[in-house]
Amino acid sequence: MAHYYMEPSRTFSEFLLVPNLTTKACNPSNVTLKTPIVKFKKGEQPAYSLNIPFSSAVMQAVSDDRMAVALARSGGISFIFGSQSVEGQAAMVRKAKSYKAGFVVSRSNLTPGHTLKDVLELKERTGHSTVAITSDGSANGKLLGIVTGRDYRISRDSLSKQVSDFMTPFEKLIYGKSGITLSEANDLIWDHKLNCLPVVDAENNLDYLVFRKDYDEHKENPSELLDANKSYVVGAGINTKDYEERVPALVAAGADVLVIDSSDGYSEWQQSTIQFVKSNFDVKIGAGNVVDREGFLYLVEAGADFIKVGIGGGSICITREQKGIGRGQASALIEVAAARDEYFEQTGIYVPICSDGGIVHDYHITLALAMGADFVMMGRYFARFDESPTRKLKVGNNFVKEFWGEGSNRARNWERYDTGGKAGLMFEEGVDSYVPYAGSLHENLSKTIHKIKSTMCNCGSLTIAELQKNARITLVSATSIVEGGAHDVILKENSITGE
């Protein structure tokens, strides 16, 4: 006989937080949003933690290398979309990992015999304005000079002019020696008013470059998420079809955390993918999506480092209306969080859960955290910003950005459907749409974070763990939902009514 869940399937909009005592210590400036992203044993520290509980969705319209850099700079993580060639995704990971680091291996190198045309073509291809000139054009060849935009003028110099004629030669460079600390390198940069400091070995072979902009950016972004090498932490999405080819390339490119992108994660296909990754690579991997205790435990036993929760709740997802599969996001999250806590009590292993989908308003994020999520994954939220990879258009009198689902014909990401065949080609589970353009990620994310911290203070909590322990959550009626917004008034034009 079929199993029936007789309790209604609930969404975040059906709940509100009831305030606890706000003590004088409960000030937003005292709130920390640091949260684990991968499993760890009781009494130990996780290999990776986020400084803010945000991740961007594994979507073509959301998460490329630019979003990965922008979100890591703010303290979260982006999972670069996998519905592209292995080479294309690996290139995005490498670009994000090399964007900012204390000691950077030079990726733009030429020889003195190259020309200005070669310099301009390399700059166009890589986006790098600093080019190391080495004896053999490699990243670790003998350093002979440096070329920056100040060394040439396109309007006056011939494109055939050799690099040796306009580079700053090694004899005139300020440089550091191998073994120099990052602090010492930064001191040289500041003392000599440099934008870039090369670091060379005893034979003057190039080891690294250290950039002034990296120091400046760190000062401006104290919550940035960095690995042990001072590079941004970067995630990447994989599927259950070509993982044997894709995973090695992503690991080689430097991906820190992987996640299986799937419409339904409770499958043997995911078990096989997780076991392959765990048997062959030292990299963390998340799995999902699931909506109940059984799905959570299945993927945890398979070896997953974190679990994504949610089916059919995304703003562009039509899985529920197409297939009749899914569950209200709040109900799914509450059950999986209870299973996570039970598993932790029994085994001493804490497996973080990510709430994926169902976020409409900023306060839904706080509710998700209170209900047990360690972090949230969002698509529509991040698709609105300058840093997302889609076009900004003007539709009517409003600016919008394009936004489409991975289950849409436009994405053609059929690899995310764990059917073992081509059944996913028969119908769509996502739509092609627009979202209102919202500006920069940093500006909008700062407002959202302040809302979350303020609400946590109302709940008497200074950490996410305290919020999950102390939160008081109430169901609301349809009438009280109406009551919670502006009502019985005539709004003035341009009134602030939403987020």
Side-chain angles (χ1 to χ4, degrees), residues 188-216:
L188 282 175
I189 287 173
W190 282 96
D191 291 344
H192 296 278
K193 297 180 173 60
L194 306 174
N195 289 321
C196 173
L197 178 78
V199 177
V200 298
D201 65 15
E203 284 75 43
N204 293 337
N205 294 310
L206 180 61
D207 277 344
Y208 304 106
L209 300 174
V210 181
F211 291 94
R212 180 190 184 109
K213 68 178 180 63
D214 292 344
Y215 178 82
D216 293 340

PDB file of all heavy atoms in Angstrom, residues 188-216:
ATOM      1  N   LEU A 188      57.289  45.544   0.372  1.00  0.00           N
ATOM      2  CA  LEU A 188      58.033  46.017  -0.795  1.00  0.00           C
ATOM      3  C   LEU A 188      57.120  46.750  -1.775  1.00  0.00           C
ATOM      4  O   LEU A 188      57.482  47.787  -2.342  1.00  0.00           O
ATOM      5  CB  LEU A 188      58.712  44.842  -1.500  1.00  0.00           C
ATOM      6  CG  LEU A 188      59.995  44.290  -0.865  1.00  0.00           C
ATOM      7  CD1 LEU A 188      60.464  43.050  -1.620  1.00  0.00           C
ATOM      8  CD2 LEU A 188      61.097  45.358  -0.867  1.00  0.00           C
ATOM      9  N   ILE A 189      55.931  46.193  -1.965  1.00  0.00           N
ATOM     10  CA  ILE A 189      54.962  46.814  -2.874  1.00  0.00           C
ATOM     11  C   ILE A 189      54.608  48.223  -2.410  1.00  0.00           C
ATOM     12  O   ILE A 189      54.584  49.178  -3.197  1.00  0.00           O
ATOM     13  CB  ILE A 189      53.707  45.932  -2.991  1.00  0.00           C
ATOM     14  CG1 ILE A 189      54.019  44.678  -3.821  1.00  0.00           C
ATOM     15  CG2 ILE A 189      52.545  46.704  -3.615  1.00  0.00           C
ATOM     16  CD1 ILE A 189      52.890  43.659  -3.857  1.00  0.00           C
ATOM     17  N   TRP A 190      54.335  48.350  -1.112  1.00  0.00           N
ATOM     18  CA  TRP A 190      53.942  49.651  -0.591  1.00  0.00           C
ATOM     19  C   TRP A 190      55.120  50.626  -0.543  1.00  0.00           C
ATOM     20  O   TRP A 190      54.990  51.805  -0.888  1.00  0.00           O
ATOM     21  CB  TRP A 190      53.329  49.486   0.809  1.00  0.00           C
ATOM     22  CG  TRP A 190      51.929  49.001   0.737  1.00  0.00           C
ATOM     23  CD1 TRP A 190      51.488  47.715   0.850  1.00  0.00           C
ATOM     24  CD2 TRP A 190      50.760  49.790   0.486  1.00  0.00           C
ATOM     25  NE1 TRP A 190      50.127  47.651   0.692  1.00  0.00           N
ATOM     26  CE2 TRP A 190      49.653  48.905   0.476  1.00  0.00           C
ATOM     27  CE3 TRP A 190      50.543  51.150   0.277  1.00  0.00           C
ATOM     28  CZ2 TRP A 190      48.358  49.342   0.263  1.00  0.00           C
ATOM     29  CZ3 TRP A 190      49.244  51.590   0.070  1.00  0.00           C
ATOM     30  CH2 TRP A 190      48.165  50.695   0.060  1.00  0.00           C
ATOM     31  N   ASP A 191      56.306  50.139  -0.128  1.00  0.00           N
ATOM     32  CA  ASP A 191      57.477  51.025  -0.017  1.00  0.00           C
ATOM     33  C   ASP A 191      57.892  51.592  -1.364  1.00  0.00           C
ATOM     34  O   ASP A 191      58.361  52.736  -1.450  1.00  0.00           O
ATOM     35  CB  ASP A 191      58.652  50.255   0.604  1.00  0.00           C
ATOM     36  CG  ASP A 191      58.416  49.922   2.073  1.00  0.00           C
ATOM     37  OD1 ASP A 191      57.509  50.534   2.678  1.00  0.00           O
ATOM     38  OD2 ASP A 191      59.128  49.044   2.596  1.00  0.00           O
ATOM     39  N   HIS A 192      57.727  50.786  -2.435  1.00  0.00           N
ATOM     40  CA  HIS A 192      58.192  51.219  -3.758  1.00  0.00           C
ATOM     41  C   HIS A 192      57.039  51.612  -4.686  1.00  0.00           C
ATOM     42  O   HIS A 192      57.261  51.826  -5.879  1.00  0.00           O
ATOM     43  CB  HIS A 192      59.028  50.113  -4.399  1.00  0.00           C
ATOM     44  CG  HIS A 192      60.296  49.797  -3.653  1.00  0.00           C
ATOM     45  ND1 HIS A 192      61.445  50.533  -3.805  1.00  0.00           N
ATOM     46  CD2 HIS A 192      60.567  48.847  -2.719  1.00  0.00           C
ATOM     47  CE1 HIS A 192      62.389  50.033  -3.016  1.00  0.00           C
ATOM     48  NE2 HIS A 192      61.888  49.007  -2.351  1.00  0.00           N
ATOM     49  N   LYS A 193      55.840  51.673  -4.111  1.00  0.00           N
ATOM     50  CA  LYS A 193      54.657  52.087  -4.873  1.00  0.00           C
ATOM     51  C   LYS A 193      54.483  51.239  -6.142  1.00  0.00           C
ATOM     52  O   LYS A 193      54.303  51.759  -7.248  1.00  0.00           O
ATOM     53  CB  LYS A 193      54.726  53.574  -5.225  1.00  0.00           C
ATOM     54  CG  LYS A 193      54.719  54.492  -4.002  1.00  0.00           C
ATOM     55  CD  LYS A 193      54.788  55.942  -4.417  1.00  0.00           C
ATOM     56  CE  LYS A 193      54.621  56.865  -3.217  1.00  0.00           C
ATOM     57  NZ  LYS A 193      55.650  56.665  -2.184  1.00  0.00           N
ATOM     58  N   LEU A 194      54.544  49.927  -5.970  1.00  0.00           N
ATOM     59  CA  LEU A 194      54.434  48.987  -7.084  1.00  0.00           C
ATOM     60  C   LEU A 194      53.013  48.471  -7.228  1.00  0.00           C
ATOM     61  O   LEU A 194      52.253  48.431  -6.257  1.00  0.00           O
ATOM     62  CB  LEU A 194      55.363  47.783  -6.872  1.00  0.00           C
ATOM     63  CG  LEU A 194      56.844  48.070  -6.606  1.00  0.00           C
ATOM     64  CD1 LEU A 194      57.563  46.772  -6.287  1.00  0.00           C
ATOM     65  CD2 LEU A 194      57.470  48.757  -7.805  1.00  0.00           C
ATOM     66  N   ASN A 195      52.671  48.074  -8.440  1.00  0.00           N
ATOM     67  CA  ASN A 195      51.423  47.351  -8.660  1.00  0.00           C
ATOM     68  C   ASN A 195      51.639  45.846  -8.691  1.00  0.00           C
ATOM     69  O   ASN A 195      50.724  45.072  -8.434  1.00  0.00           O
ATOM     70  CB  ASN A 195      50.769  47.797  -9.977  1.00  0.00           C
ATOM     71  CG  ASN A 195      50.212  49.193  -9.897  1.00  0.00           C
ATOM     72  OD1 ASN A 195      49.644  49.589  -8.879  1.00  0.00           O
ATOM     73  ND2 ASN A 195      50.386  49.967 -10.954  1.00  0.00           N
ATOM     74  N   CYS A 196      52.882  45.438  -9.018  1.00  0.00           N
ATOM     75  CA  CYS A 196      53.196  44.017  -9.123  1.00  0.00           C
ATOM     76  C   CYS A 196      54.637  43.777  -8.687  1.00  0.00           C
ATOM     77  O   CYS A 196      55.544  44.527  -9.083  1.00  0.00           O
ATOM     78  CB  CYS A 196      52.985  43.539 -10.554  1.00  0.00           C
ATOM     79  SG  CYS A 196      53.521  41.842 -10.859  1.00  0.00           S
ATOM     80  N   LEU A 197      54.828  42.747  -7.876  1.00  0.00           N
ATOM     81  CA  LEU A 197      56.168  42.368  -7.423  1.00  0.00           C
ATOM     82  C   LEU A 197      56.487  40.961  -7.908  1.00  0.00           C
ATOM     83  O   LEU A 197      55.843  39.997  -7.496  1.00  0.00           O
ATOM     84  CB  LEU A 197      56.262  42.415  -5.900  1.00  0.00           C
ATOM     85  CG  LEU A 197      57.619  41.980  -5.322  1.00  0.00           C
ATOM     86  CD1 LEU A 197      58.635  43.118  -5.460  1.00  0.00           C
ATOM     87  CD2 LEU A 197      57.478  41.557  -3.862  1.00  0.00           C
ATOM     88  N   PRO A 198      57.489  40.792  -8.803  1.00  0.00           N
ATOM     89  CA  PRO A 198      57.900  39.443  -9.172  1.00  0.00           C
ATOM     90  C   PRO A 198      58.741  38.823  -8.056  1.00  0.00           C
ATOM     91  O   PRO A 198      59.479  39.519  -7.359  1.00  0.00           O
ATOM     92  CB  PRO A 198      58.735  39.649 -10.440  1.00  0.00           C
ATOM     93  CG  PRO A 198      58.941  41.102 -10.603  1.00  0.00           C
ATOM     94  CD  PRO A 198      58.193  41.830  -9.536  1.00  0.00           C
ATOM     95  N   VAL A 199      58.625  37.522  -7.918  1.00  0.00           N
ATOM     96  CA  VAL A 199      59.431  36.773  -6.956  1.00  0.00           C
ATOM     97  C   VAL A 199      60.237  35.753  -7.750  1.00  0.00           C
ATOM     98  O   VAL A 199      59.668  34.946  -8.496  1.00  0.00           O
ATOM     99  CB  VAL A 199      58.547  36.070  -5.906  1.00  0.00           C
ATOM    100  CG1 VAL A 199      59.405  35.237  -4.954  1.00  0.00           C
ATOM    101  CG2 VAL A 199      57.726  37.095  -5.120  1.00  0.00           C
ATOM    102  N   VAL A 200      61.571  35.774  -7.604  1.00  0.00           N
ATOM    103  CA  VAL A 200      62.449  34.918  -8.397  1.00  0.00           C
ATOM    104  C   VAL A 200      63.327  34.075  -7.488  1.00  0.00           C
ATOM    105  O   VAL A 200      63.545  34.403  -6.309  1.00  0.00           O
ATOM    106  CB  VAL A 200      63.336  35.758  -9.349  1.00  0.00           C
ATOM    107  CG1 VAL A 200      62.481  36.536 -10.333  1.00  0.00           C
ATOM    108  CG2 VAL A 200      64.252  36.700  -8.561  1.00  0.00           C
ATOM    109  N   ASP A 201      63.869  32.976  -8.054  1.00  0.00           N
ATOM    110  CA  ASP A 201      64.762  32.106  -7.285  1.00  0.00           C
ATOM    111  C   ASP A 201      66.213  32.584  -7.415  1.00  0.00           C
ATOM    112  O   ASP A 201      66.486  33.656  -7.974  1.00  0.00           O
ATOM    113  CB  ASP A 201      64.599  30.651  -7.719  1.00  0.00           C
ATOM    114  CG  ASP A 201      65.046  30.404  -9.158  1.00  0.00           C
ATOM    115  OD1 ASP A 201      65.734  31.262  -9.747  1.00  0.00           O
ATOM    116  OD2 ASP A 201      64.690  29.324  -9.696  1.00  0.00           O
ATOM    117  N   ALA A 202      67.141  31.773  -6.950  1.00  0.00           N
ATOM    118  CA  ALA A 202      68.546  32.179  -6.933  1.00  0.00           C
ATOM    119  C   ALA A 202      69.110  32.390  -8.330  1.00  0.00           C
ATOM    120  O   ALA A 202      70.066  33.158  -8.523  1.00  0.00           O
ATOM    121  CB  ALA A 202      69.376  31.131  -6.185  1.00  0.00           C
ATOM    122  N   GLU A 203      68.531  31.718  -9.346  1.00  0.00           N
ATOM    123  CA  GLU A 203      68.991  31.869 -10.725  1.00  0.00           C
ATOM    124  C   GLU A 203      68.136  32.868 -11.498  1.00  0.00           C
ATOM    125  O   GLU A 203      68.196  32.939 -12.727  1.00  0.00           O
ATOM    126  CB  GLU A 203      68.973  30.517 -11.436  1.00  0.00           C
ATOM    127  CG  GLU A 203      70.109  29.582 -11.048  1.00  0.00           C
ATOM    128  CD  GLU A 203      69.891  28.985  -9.667  1.00  0.00           C
ATOM    129  OE1 GLU A 203      68.734  28.586  -9.366  1.00  0.00           O
ATOM    130  OE2 GLU A 203      70.859  28.930  -8.876  1.00  0.00           O
ATOM    131  N   ASN A 204      67.308  33.616 -10.769  1.00  0.00           N
ATOM    132  CA  ASN A 204      66.409  34.611 -11.358  1.00  0.00           C
ATOM    133  C   ASN A 204      65.317  34.004 -12.234  1.00  0.00           C
ATOM    134  O   ASN A 204      64.775  34.665 -13.131  1.00  0.00           O
ATOM    135  CB  ASN A 204      67.184  35.667 -12.161  1.00  0.00           C
ATOM    136  CG  ASN A 204      68.052  36.542 -11.277  1.00  0.00           C
ATOM    137  OD1 ASN A 204      67.799  36.670 -10.082  1.00  0.00           O
ATOM    138  ND2 ASN A 204      69.092  37.138 -11.854  1.00  0.00           N
ATOM    139  N   ASN A 205      65.002  32.744 -11.989  1.00  0.00           N
ATOM    140  CA  ASN A 205      63.840  32.134 -12.626  1.00  0.00           C
ATOM    141  C   ASN A 205      62.583  32.610 -11.905  1.00  0.00           C
ATOM    142  O   ASN A 205      62.565  32.688 -10.668  1.00  0.00           O
ATOM    143  CB  ASN A 205      63.928  30.618 -12.577  1.00  0.00           C
ATOM    144  CG  ASN A 205      65.088  30.086 -13.401  1.00  0.00           C
ATOM    145  OD1 ASN A 205      65.244  30.463 -14.556  1.00  0.00           O
ATOM    146  ND2 ASN A 205      65.902  29.225 -12.805  1.00  0.00           N
ATOM    147  N   LEU A 206      61.542  32.908 -12.657  1.00  0.00           N
ATOM    148  CA  LEU A 206      60.315  33.449 -12.076  1.00  0.00           C
ATOM    149  C   LEU A 206      59.578  32.381 -11.278  1.00  0.00           C
ATOM    150  O   LEU A 206      59.317  31.282 -11.773  1.00  0.00           O
ATOM    151  CB  LEU A 206      59.397  33.991 -13.177  1.00  0.00           C
ATOM    152  CG  LEU A 206      58.068  34.594 -12.737  1.00  0.00           C
ATOM    153  CD1 LEU A 206      58.288  35.792 -11.822  1.00  0.00           C
ATOM    154  CD2 LEU A 206      57.229  34.993 -13.949  1.00  0.00           C
ATOM    155  N   ASP A 207      59.244  32.689 -10.033  1.00  0.00           N
ATOM    156  CA  ASP A 207      58.427  31.801  -9.205  1.00  0.00           C
ATOM    157  C   ASP A 207      56.973  32.278  -9.180  1.00  0.00           C
ATOM    158  O   ASP A 207      56.058  31.542  -9.532  1.00  0.00           O
ATOM    159  CB  ASP A 207      58.970  31.743  -7.769  1.00  0.00           C
ATOM    160  CG  ASP A 207      60.107  30.751  -7.626  1.00  0.00           C
ATOM    161  OD1 ASP A 207      60.262  29.902  -8.531  1.00  0.00           O
ATOM    162  OD2 ASP A 207      60.833  30.825  -6.623  1.00  0.00           O
ATOM    163  N   TYR A 208      56.790  33.517  -8.730  1.00  0.00           N
ATOM    164  CA  TYR A 208      55.436  34.038  -8.535  1.00  0.00           C
ATOM    165  C   TYR A 208      55.379  35.525  -8.876  1.00  0.00           C
ATOM    166  O   TYR A 208      56.403  36.192  -9.030  1.00  0.00           O
ATOM    167  CB  TYR A 208      54.996  33.867  -7.074  1.00  0.00           C
ATOM    168  CG  TYR A 208      55.045  32.467  -6.553  1.00  0.00           C
ATOM    169  CD1 TYR A 208      56.045  32.058  -5.668  1.00  0.00           C
ATOM    170  CD2 TYR A 208      54.070  31.530  -6.926  1.00  0.00           C
ATOM    171  CE1 TYR A 208      56.087  30.770  -5.171  1.00  0.00           C
ATOM    172  CE2 TYR A 208      54.105  30.234  -6.432  1.00  0.00           C
ATOM    173  CZ  TYR A 208      55.116  29.864  -5.567  1.00  0.00           C
ATOM    174  OH  TYR A 208      55.158  28.582  -5.099  1.00  0.00           O
ATOM    175  N   LEU A 209      54.129  36.014  -8.930  1.00  0.00           N
ATOM    176  CA  LEU A 209      53.852  37.438  -8.954  1.00  0.00           C
ATOM    177  C   LEU A 209      52.968  37.754  -7.757  1.00  0.00           C
ATOM    178  O   LEU A 209      52.083  36.972  -7.401  1.00  0.00           O
ATOM    179  CB  LEU A 209      53.140  37.848 -10.251  1.00  0.00           C
ATOM    180  CG  LEU A 209      53.876  37.591 -11.567  1.00  0.00           C
ATOM    181  CD1 LEU A 209      52.962  37.932 -12.742  1.00  0.00           C
ATOM    182  CD2 LEU A 209      55.166  38.386 -11.653  1.00  0.00           C
ATOM    183  N   VAL A 210      53.205  38.891  -7.123  1.00  0.00           N
ATOM    184  CA  VAL A 210      52.366  39.364  -6.020  1.00  0.00           C
ATOM    185  C   VAL A 210      51.802  40.714  -6.444  1.00  0.00           C
ATOM    186  O   VAL A 210      52.561  41.601  -6.849  1.00  0.00           O
ATOM    187  CB  VAL A 210      53.160  39.495  -4.711  1.00  0.00           C
ATOM    188  CG1 VAL A 210      52.247  39.979  -3.581  1.00  0.00           C
ATOM    189  CG2 VAL A 210      53.804  38.172  -4.333  1.00  0.00           C
ATOM    190  N   PHE A 211      50.464  40.870  -6.332  1.00  0.00           N
ATOM    191  CA  PHE A 211      49.808  42.073  -6.851  1.00  0.00           C
ATOM    192  C   PHE A 211      49.283  42.961  -5.719  1.00  0.00           C
ATOM    193  O   PHE A 211      48.741  42.471  -4.730  1.00  0.00           O
ATOM    194  CB  PHE A 211      48.648  41.695  -7.768  1.00  0.00           C
ATOM    195  CG  PHE A 211      49.088  41.070  -9.064  1.00  0.00           C
ATOM    196  CD1 PHE A 211      49.166  39.696  -9.190  1.00  0.00           C
ATOM    197  CD2 PHE A 211      49.437  41.860 -10.150  1.00  0.00           C
ATOM    198  CE1 PHE A 211      49.570  39.112 -10.373  1.00  0.00           C
ATOM    199  CE2 PHE A 211      49.849  41.300 -11.342  1.00  0.00           C
ATOM    200  CZ  PHE A 211      49.919  39.909 -11.455  1.00  0.00           C
ATOM    201  N   ARG A 212      49.427  44.250  -5.919  1.00  0.00           N
ATOM    202  CA  ARG A 212      48.918  45.233  -4.959  1.00  0.00           C
ATOM    203  C   ARG A 212      47.395  45.134  -4.832  1.00  0.00           C
ATOM    204  O   ARG A 212      46.844  45.262  -3.741  1.00  0.00           O
ATOM    205  CB  ARG A 212      49.308  46.638  -5.419  1.00  0.00           C
ATOM    206  CG  ARG A 212      48.829  47.759  -4.488  1.00  0.00           C
ATOM    207  CD  ARG A 212      49.033  49.123  -5.135  1.00  0.00           C
ATOM    208  NE  ARG A 212      48.675  50.189  -4.219  1.00  0.00           N
ATOM    209  CZ  ARG A 212      49.545  50.991  -3.638  1.00  0.00           C
ATOM    210  NH1 ARG A 212      50.847  50.835  -3.863  1.00  0.00           N
ATOM    211  NH2 ARG A 212      49.149  51.948  -2.831  1.00  0.00           N
ATOM    212  N   LYS A 213      46.704  44.884  -5.960  1.00  0.00           N
ATOM    213  CA  LYS A 213      45.243  44.847  -5.937  1.00  0.00           C
ATOM    214  C   LYS A 213      44.714  43.751  -5.024  1.00  0.00           C
ATOM    215  O   LYS A 213      43.634  43.875  -4.447  1.00  0.00           O
ATOM    216  CB  LYS A 213      44.694  44.655  -7.343  1.00  0.00           C
ATOM    217  CG  LYS A 213      44.967  43.303  -7.970  1.00  0.00           C
ATOM    218  CD  LYS A 213      44.357  43.178  -9.341  1.00  0.00           C
ATOM    219  CE  LYS A 213      44.652  41.817  -9.954  1.00  0.00           C
ATOM    220  NZ  LYS A 213      44.074  40.708  -9.184  1.00  0.00           N
ATOM    221  N   ASP A 214      45.493  42.643  -4.881  1.00  0.00           N
ATOM    222  CA  ASP A 214      45.055  41.561  -4.003  1.00  0.00           C
ATOM    223  C   ASP A 214      45.012  42.024  -2.552  1.00  0.00           C
ATOM    224  O   ASP A 214      44.089  41.690  -1.799  1.00  0.00           O
ATOM    225  CB  ASP A 214      45.982  40.358  -4.132  1.00  0.00           C
ATOM    226  CG  ASP A 214      45.877  39.684  -5.492  1.00  0.00           C
ATOM    227  OD1 ASP A 214      44.889  39.964  -6.197  1.00  0.00           O
ATOM    228  OD2 ASP A 214      46.755  38.888  -5.827  1.00  0.00           O
ATOM    229  N   TYR A 215      46.024  42.797  -2.156  1.00  0.00           N
ATOM    230  CA  TYR A 215      46.054  43.328  -0.791  1.00  0.00           C
ATOM    231  C   TYR A 215      44.899  44.300  -0.574  1.00  0.00           C
ATOM    232  O   TYR A 215      44.211  44.261   0.448  1.00  0.00           O
ATOM    233  CB  TYR A 215      47.385  44.024  -0.539  1.00  0.00           C
ATOM    234  CG  TYR A 215      47.505  44.646   0.845  1.00  0.00           C
ATOM    235  CD1 TYR A 215      47.869  43.872   1.936  1.00  0.00           C
ATOM    236  CD2 TYR A 215      47.233  45.997   1.042  1.00  0.00           C
ATOM    237  CE1 TYR A 215      47.969  44.426   3.204  1.00  0.00           C
ATOM    238  CE2 TYR A 215      47.335  46.568   2.298  1.00  0.00           C
ATOM    239  CZ  TYR A 215      47.709  45.780   3.376  1.00  0.00           C
ATOM    240  OH  TYR A 215      47.792  46.327   4.630  1.00  0.00           O
ATOM    241  N   ASP A 216      44.675  45.180  -1.560  1.00  0.00           N
ATOM    242  CA  ASP A 216      43.588  46.155  -1.461  1.00  0.00           C
ATOM    243  C   ASP A 216      42.237  45.460  -1.348  1.00  0.00           C
ATOM    244  O   ASP A 216      41.381  45.846  -0.541  1.00  0.00           O
ATOM    245  CB  ASP A 216      43.593  47.085  -2.677  1.00  0.00           C
ATOM    246  CG  ASP A 216      44.809  47.998  -2.715  1.00  0.00           C
ATOM    247  OD1 ASP A 216      45.426  48.185  -1.653  1.00  0.00           O
ATOM    248  OD2 ASP A 216      45.130  48.509  -3.800  1.00  0.00           O
TER     249      ASP A 216
END
